[in-house]
Amino acid sequence: EVQLVESGGGLVQPGGSLKLSCQASGFMFTLDRMAWVRQTPGKGLEWISGITPNGDRAYYGDSVQGRFTISRDNAKNAVFLQLNSLKTEDTAMYYCAKGKYGVYCYVGTECYDPPRGQGTQVTVSS
């Protein structure tokens, strides 16, 4: 059974930083594209970032480009998201997601399975 467990969220002031973690199990993590997505009440799921199976390339949405960094540790079956220069509009529930079988792309929620973890809440507020 695929399991994705997110952690690391919290309350932070604008301009602050957080590092999110996602522990994966139940599938061949080293062969899968991974991504981070987020959701806020009243808005749909927003794709933020994706990473190749070996971690050599990363992709970012315009809203987080230059502020967020995705990475992965295949030895630990984990993917991370470093959030810097946080803004109030970054407030959301953050999820990691695995690549959708049979779909080969990186940019956009359609490239990944729907989130299945509980997510981790990031709140940016002064």
Side-chain angles (χ1 to χ4, degrees):
E1 179 188 0
V2 173
Q3 288 193 324
L4 298 169
V5 180
E6 301 91 348
S7 63
L11 173 63
V12 63
Q13 292 186 339
S17 299
L18 283 173
K19 186 172 185 178
L20 309 184
S21 300
C22 171
Q23 184 66 51
S25 61
F27 63 101
M28 291 295 288
F29 181 80
T30 56
L31 300 181
D32 261 290
R33 296 162 288 129
M34 295 297 296
W36 285 92
V37 299
R38 67 187 181 187
Q39 187 161 31
T40 55
K43 290 183 66 176
L45 209 58
E46 177 188 9
W47 172 84
I48 299 171
S49 181
I51 191 167
T52 53
N54 67 1
D56 65 337
R57 291 199 70 173
Y59 303 84
Y60 298 96
D62 290 342
S63 62
V64 305
Q65 178 75 49
R67 300 188 298 121
F68 292 6
T69 304
I70 190 172
S71 61
R72 65 191 294 164
D73 184 340
N74 282 355
K76 296 182 178 180
N77 278 18
V79 61
F80 308 98
L81 188 68
Q82 178 68 44
L83 290 66
N84 295 330
S85 303
L86 281 161
K87 306 175 181 179
T88 55
E89 52 263 44
D90 294 318
T91 296
M93 186 70 79
Y94 285 69
Y95 301 90
C96 63
K98 64 181 292 290
K100 183 176 294 185
Y101 179 76
V103 176
Y104 189 75
C105 58
Y106 285 94
V107 179
T109 56
E110 65 272 19
C111 302
Y112 304 91
D113 291 339
R116 59 181 74 226
Q118 83 286 355
T120 187
Q121 177 69 38
V122 172
T123 302
V124 185
S125 174
S126 55

